[in-house]
Amino acid sequence: MPNFGVGLPRTGLPGAAMSMADARAALPLTGPGQVKSFADHWLLATLAPTAQRFAVLLEPRREAAQQHPDLAETVLSLAENGFSLSATARVLHVHPNTVKYRLQRWQQLTDWDVRTWQGLSSTIIALGLPTL
C-alpha cells in the first residue's frame, strides 16, 4: 500500500509547485499506507532534511524511547491530552501517579523536562522525526 504526503492548498502554478514541495517534505514522515499532511506536520517535515545535524542531541533520547517505550508513549499522550495527568492516565489505563513517575523518569533519562516548552518540543521532535 503506497504512502502519501499532502501539501498545503495554494493557488496558481507557483502555488502548485510549493504545494508539491510541501507534499515531498511530508512524505518521509509516513509509514506504509499512511498519509501525512504538511499542515499537520510542518515542523517535523521542515526539520527532517537537516535532522542529521541534530543527531548528537536526538539519538540518545531516541535510544531512551526505544528502551522505555512506555515513557515515550506517556510523554506523547500527555501532550495529546491537554497536559492533564488524569486524562493521560485514563487513556493509558494507569494511575495518575504512574504518569507522574514516568514523566520524572523521562526527565532523568533524557535531561528534558516535558513541562517546559524546550523539553516538550525537543522530545516531540526527537520522537517524531524519521530515523536518522
Side-chain angles (χ1 to χ4, degrees):
M1 184 166 209
N3 46 342
F4 296 95
V6 178
L8 295 172
R10 303 173 194 262
T11 57
L13 287 178
M18 286 193 316
S19 184
M20 290 295 295
D22 297 342
R24 278 192 298 277
L27 190 59
L29 304 176
T30 63
Q34 287 186 324
V35 176
K36 294 282 183 168
S37 167
F38 184 82
D40 295 333
H41 302 281
W42 65 269
L43 178 60
L44 294 176
T46 303
L47 290 174
T50 59
Q52 194 60 41
R53 183 174 163 202
F54 333 121
V56 68
L57 293 170
L58 302 180
E59 286 308 313
R61 280 63 181 213
R62 287 173 177 236
E63 288 174 15
Q66 288 173 345
Q67 293 171 1
H68 306 278
D70 57 322
L71 303 182
E73 177 187 33
T74 301
V75 169
L76 296 176
S77 184
L78 180 75
E80 292 171 359
N81 287 285
F83 304 97
S84 166
L85 295 178
S86 58
T88 301
R90 269 193 309 278
V91 168
L92 296 177
H93 307 289
V94 297
H95 192 277
N97 286 344
T98 301
V99 172
K100 187 175 179 181
Y101 165 78
R102 288 178 181 179
L103 297 175
Q104 290 169 342
R105 185 71 178 127
W106 180 256
Q107 184 176 357
Q108 289 172 345
L109 292 172
T110 65
D111 200 32
W112 285 345
D113 182 355
V114 297
R115 296 171 299 163
T116 67
W117 164 251
Q118 181 67 31
L120 180 64
S121 60
S122 298
T123 295
I124 289 173
I125 290 167
L127 299 178
L129 282 176
T131 303
L132 303 177

